[in-house]
Amino acid sequence: MKRTIDDVIYKEMDRMFKCNLCDKSYTDSNTLKTHQRIHTGEKPYSCDVCDKSFTRLSILKDHIKTHTKCKPFKCDYCNKSFTQYGSLYKHKKIHTGEKQFQCNLCDKSFIQKINLKTHQRIHTGEKSFQCNMCNKKYRYSRDLKNHKITHTNISSFSCDLCYNSYTYYSSLKRHKRLKH
C-alpha cells in the first residue's frame, strides 16, 4: 500500500509530545524533555573552564569554543571575528540594517526576536522578574538586579561635601544637584 503525504502528517500528529507548561509540541520525547528544561531551569551540561551550565550538549560545545583563540567566522564588513556562525549572522544585521522582527502594536522593529519580546513588555505590562525578598516585580532583569542592591544596605556612593551615602550613583548626583 502506497503512503500519501496525508498519511505521514496524520501519523506525525499521533506522535505529538505536548509540553504541559506551554503550547509547544514535539514529535519525539527527547526533544520535549530538552524543551522542558526551559521551564525547570535544569542545565545538566557544565563547562569545565568557567562553570557555566547549559540545557543542551550542543550549546555547551559551542560555548567551549569561546575559551579558545579560534574565531573562524569573520565579518565581511568590519573584520570582527566570532567563534560561532550564529553570532556572526546576528552581527552582520548591524551592518545591513535588517530588522525582521516587527512589533504588531507600534512601528518599532528589531534585529533579534528576543529584543522584540523584551520591547513588547511595554505594551503588555508584563513584569516577569520578581524579587525573592520583597516580591516586587520588574519588567527587566537589569531593574531587578538594581533593586536587589537596596536589600544589602550597602551605600557605595558618598558625598564628598556632607558625607551622606547612597546606594546608586544617580541618587548621589541628584543629592548634589539639589543640596549643594
Side-chain angles (χ1 to χ4, degrees):
M1 180 169 147
K2 187 175 179 183
R3 290 175 46 175
T4 66
I5 190 74
D6 289 335
D7 293 333
V8 173
I9 291 171
Y10 184 75
K11 288 284 186 203
E12 282 189 0
M13 287 178 74
D14 280 348
R15 291 185 283 145
M16 287 296 222
F17 292 86
K18 295 184 183 250
C19 177
N20 59 352
L21 297 169
C22 71
D23 61 351
K24 299 261 184 179
S25 296
Y26 301 91
T27 55
D28 67 271
S29 61
N30 285 332
T31 306
L32 172 62
K33 184 179 177 183
T34 299
H35 158 78
Q36 287 178 323
R37 290 177 183 147
I38 292 168
H39 302 298
T40 65
E42 179 189 6
K43 295 180 177 183
Y45 304 101
S46 297
C47 176
D48 293 332
V49 178
C50 70
D51 291 330
K52 277 191 177 183
S53 297
F54 303 92
T55 56
R56 294 191 332 244
L57 180 60
S58 60
I59 298 173
L60 170 61
K61 286 179 178 178
D62 280 346
H63 165 78
I64 288 171
K65 293 176 190 171
T66 65
H67 296 297
T68 68
K69 300 285 183 207
C70 181
K71 294 184 177 182
F73 304 101
K74 189 175 264 192
C75 176
D76 301 331
Y77 298 96
C78 68
N79 290 327
K80 187 171 180 175
S81 296
F82 299 88
T83 56
Q84 302 164 15
Y85 175 76
S87 300
L88 170 62
Y89 182 78
K90 287 179 200 171
H91 167 80
K92 280 186 173 182
K93 290 179 181 183
I94 293 168
H95 299 293
T96 64
E98 178 187 344
K99 294 181 177 181
Q100 68 187 62
F101 300 101
Q102 174 82 36
C103 178
N104 59 356
L105 298 170
C106 70
D107 63 350
K108 289 199 172 223
S109 55
F110 301 88
I111 292 172
Q112 295 183 31
K113 188 175 186 176
I114 188 66
N115 295 342
L116 170 61
K117 285 181 141 190
T118 300
H119 161 79
Q120 287 176 327
R121 292 181 196 145
I122 292 168
H123 301 300
T124 64
E126 176 192 347
K127 294 183 176 181
S128 305
F129 302 96
Q130 186 170 7
C131 178
N132 58 359
M133 298 185 79
C134 70
N135 295 329
K136 194 167 182 182
K137 291 184 176 184
Y138 293 90
R139 191 171 288 137
Y140 306 108
S141 61
R142 69 176 178 266
D143 294 339
L144 173 60
K145 185 178 176 184
N146 283 336
H147 163 77
K148 283 186 171 184
I149 294 170
T150 64
H151 294 297
T152 64
N153 293 323
I154 296 172
S155 298
S156 301
F157 303 99
S158 297
C159 177
D160 54 353
L161 301 170
C162 70
Y163 304 106
N164 283 356
S165 294
Y166 299 91
T167 305
Y168 304 105
Y169 180 69
S170 59
S171 300
L172 173 61
K173 278 178 34 179
R174 186 179 66 232
H175 161 77
K176 284 185 170 184
R177 189 178 69 245
L178 297 173
K179 302 288 181 186
H180 299 295

